[in-house]
Amino acid sequence: MTTHAATAQPSYLVDTGKRKGLLAWLTTTDHKRIGVLYLYSMISFFLIAMGVGFVMRLVQLTTFQKLITAQTYNALFTLHGVIMIFLFVIPGLPAVFGNFFLPILIGAKDVAFPRLNLTSWYFFMAGAILAVLSLFTGGGAPDTGWSFYAPFSLKTGTNVSLAVFAAFVLGFSSMLTGINFITTIHRLRAPGMKWFRMPLMCWALYSTSWIQLLATPIVAITLVLVILERFFGIGIFDPAKGGDPLLYQHLFWIYSHPAVYIMILPAMGAITEIIPTFAKRTIFGYKAIAFSSMAIAGVGSLVWAHHMFTSGMSNLATILFSLLTMIVAVPSAIKVFNWVSTLYKGSIDFQPPLLFALTFIFLFAIGGLTGVMQGALAINVHIHDTYFIVGHFHYVMFGGTGMGFFAALLYWFPKMFGKMYSKTAIYVSWFPIFIGFNMLYFGMLILGMMGMPRRYYVHLPQFHTMHVVATVGSWFLVLGLLTYFGTLLYALFKGPKAEDNPWGGVTLEWTLPSPPIQENFETIPTITHGPYHFEQESK
Amino acid sequence: MSEHVHRDDFGARLGMWLFLVTEIVLFGGLFIGYSYMRYKYPMEFHHGGAELNATLGVINTVVLLTSSLTVVLAIVAIQRAEKKRAMAFLGTTLVLGVTFLVIKSFEWAAKFHHGLYPNSAHLGTLPPGEQVFFGLYFTMTGLHGLHVIAGLSVLSVMLWWVATDRVRPDRYIHLENSGLYWHLVDVIWIFLLPLFYLAA
Amino acid sequence: MSQHAEHSADLNTVQQPEHPAEHPGYGTFIKVWVALLILTACLVGMSHVSQTYAVWGLLTMTPLKAGLVFYFFMHLKYEGPLLKIVILVTLGTLLIFFALLFSDVAFH
């Protein structure tokens, strides 16, 4: 298995074409290099947005005498949301690990449209740059929150148009990636790689890509309407002209709720790859997990109006959407049960990726359960637009997608870069992350129950203690994250060479050298069995 | 790398169809918005529709339907290695597409002349529902017009490629995909006609 | 790059049969075009009768016209099941979006 030392082809990290260095990277059509380009850009955006979040918490440390003005605070939470959502969590796992590993996992040499793939990255970067420009041009940084609700987004003097256009461009990037992945899975599977022999990450990416295709265009057109409204006053969302802000909310959430499943599904896919490897046994309930991915994608597209329970919808709609919201919890729970059942009676090899995967399950369970609470109409009215919502979606998006991303990065880092990181340093980083995370976001859940509204610049004295707890938690969290990224950065330059298969995984990427060669496979493998086929188990 | 060796015409068509899915949903969002508003303002939409020139709308429909036909005939011609004929068909499509845009611009000019455009003083005096009607009319026909322009650009390239044999009887997937795009633009217009021009 | 190309040429031998069926001729498409023009005429005619007829014309003729363009001009008739499913899923999704939205709008 590990006789690749004599391989003729160089690793994908070595420049062999006419172009060298940075230029070779910027013009590459290799899916692995594009994945790495996304990785570097996204971690940068993540760190920036993390810094913004850190400052927001500092502001809440006092009840008066604020560090910054209220308008700056509005800009900061908009900025934090826009960067985290559009530049990190939505594209995070599919663009980085999907690009790098999808072709490898199905035994292909590249995605179906490699040049289109590079184009997606350029759209992504263009969107990111426009988003940054919107902060410093026009009327200043947008202050609407990441959801750009009409009619405020139509009336505010800040530079909403450019920010919204940036989101449009990012949506385009996301759609192109989706088209690429679906075509790749349909057309480029290796001989014998039947649908039910694909690693479950591929199913997760497949479901995700469908949501990207079917939901993203709705938000694209909605954002175009906001721009047209601001420039030409077409009046569709403007009540003064007969338009309806409620229509904006509907159209916005038709995309933006499914978008949270775009965010979480690939993370679930990565967790599903990690757990069998460290339990050394096949996944429990392969088909249940595959179909639950599709079910989450399907049902998840039909629950959007649970964001609008207090917006004045019809009673029928509120009841219908409440019911559908509850139903989404079923396929999500199926996955959790399958992961836990896989671990049961497995030969557990406790390594950093598994630690982060278990953290994912724990935090996601809290996020998921608080989500079901919000789906109930009566509770929703009580906690609507409070810190409870903020706490909930950080448990799902950060505890879920974020931890999934960190776990996936730990799992695949040795394969991607051929270097091993210090496991001890990662364990050390885990403690402040875990403790800080729960202080910060559980604190927010409690604050929300007490009635602290979200997006407020100031808070009343009775909320002060919990705000301090949350802020101190944010310090732990940031400390842990910096240790985590520092460890990986150090490993990238100074780390010892990683083995080809450091974790004893059995999916196709572990049959390749670390880092993989340019065309992934010297000969395309023929697949004869399912993805999680552990020898010791079949003995 | 592998795209130079790996030729998968079906994969290319699948990719194009998936792209069309995003286009369908994009306009679908607008159609949903249209129905929402029409449900809210049935009478105002009736009045708004009466302001539009149905004759021009119908003529444009015939123009686009015919241009769709000539694209599909150009593909038949390429399959039969009738290069001259394929070029003639594509040329006809381009002429018809431009005709559509010219008619459209006359129509828009007339609306502007009557003060019926977003943010105009005259439109502001009309009932709110009619303002929304014209907002939607300009948005949807405008966005469709942009798609016509995009389609014409792509088809011009195809005409060039047919002339220079980059599109030929054994390799015409690009023409097929461009044709798919053009037909979709046609389908969208098929829906716009009754929603706006025949609403009265 | 070229040596990779040679290397992998034999690996990608999964050639697709290109349009297995006979290609349809000019006649088929011209007939469809005539049908489209007739349907357009019916649509315009119905819209002049009364408001009710206009709405029914919109709901019947328009999808029929779109269907003809999809099925013949866009060659869905000559494709396998996958592309048909893709389109049906898309239209189904839009229909469900529409229905759920109207569970709010129509019951205010």
Side-chain angles (χ1 to χ4, degrees):
Chain A
M1 202 178 235
T2 49
T3 51
H4 295 283
T7 184
Q9 284 195 49
S11 119
Y12 81 99
L13 293 168
V14 178
D15 295 333
T16 52
K18 270 174 285 181
R19 301 190 181 92
K20 302 280 177 226
L22 188 63
L23 203 59
W25 279 83
L26 293 180
T27 55
T28 183
T29 53
D30 184 334
H31 66 100
K32 298 184 287 300
R33 286 192 165 199
I34 293 172
V36 172
L37 284 176
Y38 273 116
L39 178 68
Y40 290 148
S41 8
M42 277 176 199
I43 289 181
S44 320
F45 297 132
F46 174 82
L47 290 174
I48 293 171
M50 182 186 81
V52 173
F54 181 75
V55 173
M56 281 160 64
R57 287 314 314 164
L58 281 184
V59 171
Q60 296 298 347
L61 201 56
T62 57
T63 45
F64 54 94
Q65 284 207 338
K66 300 290 182 180
L67 296 160
I68 52 176
T69 64
Q71 180 65 19
T72 312
Y73 188 75
N74 292 348
L76 284 185
F77 68 65
T78 306
L79 183 66
H80 175 79
V82 168
I83 295 184
M84 280 296 192
I85 301 252
F86 291 111
L87 296 177
F88 180 68
V89 274
I90 289 183
L93 280 116
V96 177
F97 303 110
N99 259 317
F100 200 107
F101 288 105
L102 174 66
I104 296 179
L105 288 172
I106 61 171
K109 291 181 172 238
D110 208 319
V111 291
F113 309 114
R115 275 174 297 188
L116 190 69
N117 202 14
L118 182 65
T119 315
S120 301
W121 183 74
Y122 276 103
F123 273 116
F124 175 76
M125 290 310 284
I129 291 167
L130 288 173
V132 173
L133 277 180
S134 75
L135 303 176
F136 305 107
T137 54
D143 55 353
T144 58
W146 75 280
S147 46
F148 301 113
Y149 262 25
F152 181 63
S153 62
L154 312 177
K155 303 291 178 197
T156 173
T158 56
N159 202 357
V160 166
S161 304
L162 194 61
V164 159
F165 182 66
F168 176 84
V169 174
L170 291 168
F172 212 81
S173 160
S174 169
M175 285 189 283
L176 293 182
T177 306
I179 291 173
N180 224 334
F181 284 1
I182 294 179
T183 314
T184 306
I185 291 177
H186 272 285
R187 302 300 296 167
L188 295 182
R189 279 170 288 128
M193 180 64 82
K194 297 177 183 157
W195 281 87
F196 291 112
R197 286 181 185 168
M198 289 197 303
L200 285 157
M201 176 79 177
C202 305
W203 277 97
L205 288 168
Y206 187 72
S207 323
T208 309
S209 303
W210 270 108
I211 316 179
Q212 284 174 317
L213 245 58
L214 291 172
T216 316
I218 301 265
V219 82
I221 192 63
T222 312
L223 298 177
V224 167
L225 288 176
V226 169
I227 295 174
L228 290 175
E229 187 88 50
R230 286 177 66 89
F231 281 106
F232 304 111
I234 51 170
I236 293 164
F237 300 137
D238 184 354
K241 293 179 175 173
D244 196 341
L246 211 57
L247 178 62
Y248 176 85
Q249 294 189 15
H250 272 299
L251 291 176
F252 179 79
W253 289 114
I254 285 179
Y255 165 73
S256 295
H257 192 78
V260 307
Y261 298 102
I262 297 180
M263 304 174 202
I264 196 73
L265 274 170
M268 291 171 157
I271 299 304
T272 316
E273 293 304 308
I274 291 169
I275 287 192
T277 299
F278 295 99
K280 297 282 174 283
R281 58 173 297 214
T282 190
I283 193 84
F284 180 87
Y286 177 96
K287 285 195 179 174
I289 296 185
F291 288 129
S292 67
S293 289
M294 297 301 279
I296 290 177
V299 184
S301 299
L302 313 178
V303 301
W304 75 82
H306 65 213
H307 294 267
M308 304 163 56
F309 284 158
T310 58
S311 302
M313 286 196 303
S314 76
N315 285 341
L316 176 73
T318 50
I319 293 166
L320 200 60
F321 279 104
S322 177
L323 178 72
L324 286 164
T325 303
M326 304 282 178
I327 291 175
V328 158
V330 176
S332 311
I334 287 176
K335 280 183 194 289
V336 172
F337 289 132
N338 280 306
W339 293 325
V340 176
S341 311
T342 306
L343 289 167
Y344 180 66
K345 286 193 175 171
S347 336
I348 293 183
D349 178 17
F350 207 81
Q351 299 280 359
L354 185 65
L355 175 63
F356 276 78
L358 296 178
T359 314
F360 167 95
I361 296 178
F362 178 78
L363 298 177
F364 175 75
I366 295 179
L369 289 172
T370 49
V372 178
M373 285 170 70
Q374 283 159 220
L377 285 169
I379 300 178
N380 185 285
V381 173
H382 177 67
I383 57 179
H384 204 92
D385 265 346
T386 66
Y387 265 51
F388 192 87
I389 309 294
V390 183
H392 156 73
F393 70 65
H394 280 90
Y395 265 100
V396 184
M397 295 294 91
F398 190 3
T401 311
M403 290 303 153
F405 186 93
F406 299 152
L409 189 57
L410 292 174
Y411 182 56
W412 280 314
F413 183 90
K415 179 57 62 189
M416 293 172 83
F417 301 103
K419 296 285 174 67
M420 188 43 99
Y421 46 81
S422 157
K423 292 178 191 172
T424 320
I426 293 293
Y427 287 130
V428 169
S429 79
W430 180 83
F431 284 95
I433 290 180
F434 186 75
I435 295 165
F437 186 101
N438 286 300
M439 278 172 74
L440 173 54
Y441 299 118
F442 211 87
M444 286 191 177
L445 290 177
I446 296 169
L447 277 170
M449 289 302 253
M450 290 162 71
M452 170 75 204
R454 69 191 286 200
R455 292 177 175 170
Y456 271 34
Y457 173 58
V458 289
H459 58 255
L460 295 171
Q462 65 262 39
F463 302 131
H464 190 61
T465 315
M466 280 319 292
H467 268 298
V468 173
V469 170
T471 301
V472 173
S474 78
W475 299 341
F476 281 114
L477 184 56
V478 167
L479 183 74
L481 288 172
L482 291 179
T483 315
Y484 172 96
F485 284 117
T487 307
L488 293 186
L489 195 65
Y490 179 82
L492 197 58
F493 294 105
K494 297 275 171 77
K497 191 174 165 15
E499 298 162 41
D500 288 348
N501 191 358
W503 316 123
V506 289
T507 38
L508 283 176
E509 76 271 35
W510 304 112
T511 65
L512 303 179
S514 300
I517 56 170
Q518 283 175 354
E519 297 216 320
N520 301 346
F521 299 95
E522 299 228 29
T523 42
I524 296 287
T526 302
I527 312 301
T528 53
H529 50 72
Y532 310 108
H533 190 75
F534 286 88
E535 277 170 26
Q536 66 198 62
E537 208 187 2
S538 46
K539 267 175 202 162
Chain B
M1 271 172 228
S2 44
E3 89 261 44
H4 301 304
V5 268
H6 187 89
R7 164 133 175 243
D8 179 5
D9 283 354
F10 180 77
R13 282 207 301 284
L14 175 61
M16 188 64 201
W17 273 101
L18 293 174
F19 177 68
L20 295 187
V21 163
T22 68
E23 290 279 11
I24 292 171
V25 179
L26 185 90
F27 277 94
L30 281 175
F31 286 122
I32 288 175
Y34 174 93
S35 347
Y36 185 102
M37 288 302 172
R38 183 168 179 169
Y39 186 86
K40 211 172 158 185
Y41 301 111
M43 284 322 289
E44 289 84 348
F45 271 54
H46 189 73
H47 290 142
E51 296 277 335
L52 298 182
N53 189 332
T55 316
L56 287 184
V58 174
I59 292 175
N60 254 350
T61 306
V62 175
V63 168
L64 265 198
L65 283 175
T66 313
S67 77
S68 240
L69 172 72
T70 50
V71 165
V72 79
L73 293 183
I75 296 173
V76 177
I78 275 289
Q79 286 165 343
R80 298 182 173 183
E82 299 167 346
K83 181 174 159 183
K84 288 254 167 60
R85 202 177 255 184
M87 289 173 65
F89 280 132
L90 273 179
T92 315
T93 307
L94 292 177
V95 171
L96 289 170
V98 172
T99 311
F100 175 90
L101 286 176
V102 170
I103 294 176
K104 189 89 249 166
S105 60
F106 276 118
E107 213 190 304
W108 271 37
K111 291 284 151 311
F112 274 74
H113 186 69
H114 291 115
L116 289 171
Y117 56 91
N119 265 352
S120 73
H122 175 55
L123 198 62
T125 62
L126 295 178
E130 278 189 55
Q131 301 186 29
V132 169
F133 177 84
F134 281 103
L136 279 167
Y137 164 77
F138 280 107
T139 307
M140 291 172 84
T141 57
L143 195 65
H144 177 260
L146 286 180
H147 280 76
V148 171
I149 293 170
L152 285 176
S153 322
V154 174
L155 287 173
S156 311
V157 174
M158 286 308 122
L159 180 60
W160 173 248
W161 283 11
V162 172
T164 53
D165 285 329
R166 278 193 71 177
V167 168
R168 49 181 190 269
D170 63 336
R171 188 186 180 121
Y172 52 87
I173 178 67
H174 295 103
L175 178 61
E176 264 188 307
N177 277 350
S178 318
L180 286 177
Y181 186 80
W182 189 253
H183 296 309
L184 188 80
V185 172
D186 187 20
V187 167
I188 291 162
W189 184 257
I190 286 178
F191 281 94
L192 290 180
L193 173 76
L195 291 185
F196 286 106
Y197 296 87
L198 305 179
Chain C
M1 195 94 81
S2 63
Q3 97 194 40
H4 292 156
E6 274 166 42
H7 179 72
S8 52
D10 55 321
L11 298 170
N12 291 301
T13 45
V14 209
Q15 275 301 328
Q16 290 316 120
E18 207 16 53
H19 290 299
E22 273 287 289
H23 293 306
Y26 295 115
T28 320
F29 297 118
I30 293 173
K31 277 180 212 151
V32 173
W33 174 70
V34 172
L36 285 168
L37 292 185
I38 293 170
L39 285 173
T40 309
C42 293
L43 181 69
V44 176
M46 283 176 87
S47 75
H48 279 98
V49 182
S50 76
Q51 186 69 21
T52 328
Y53 272 86
V55 172
W56 277 107
L58 163 70
L59 290 177
T60 52
M61 301 293 157
T62 318
L64 205 59
K65 282 168 73 182
L68 283 176
V69 174
F70 270 106
Y71 201 60
F72 290 99
F73 283 3
M74 298 173 88
H75 297 145
L76 273 187
K77 181 174 192 283
Y78 317 103
E79 298 279 5
L82 178 62
L83 297 184
K84 289 175 187 144
I85 294 170
V86 165
I87 284 305
L88 287 178
V89 167
T90 309
L91 297 179
T93 309
L94 275 177
L95 209 64
I96 294 171
F97 284 169
F98 184 85
L100 280 175
L101 183 76
F102 268 75
S103 78
D104 172 23
V105 187
F107 293 89
H108 260 309

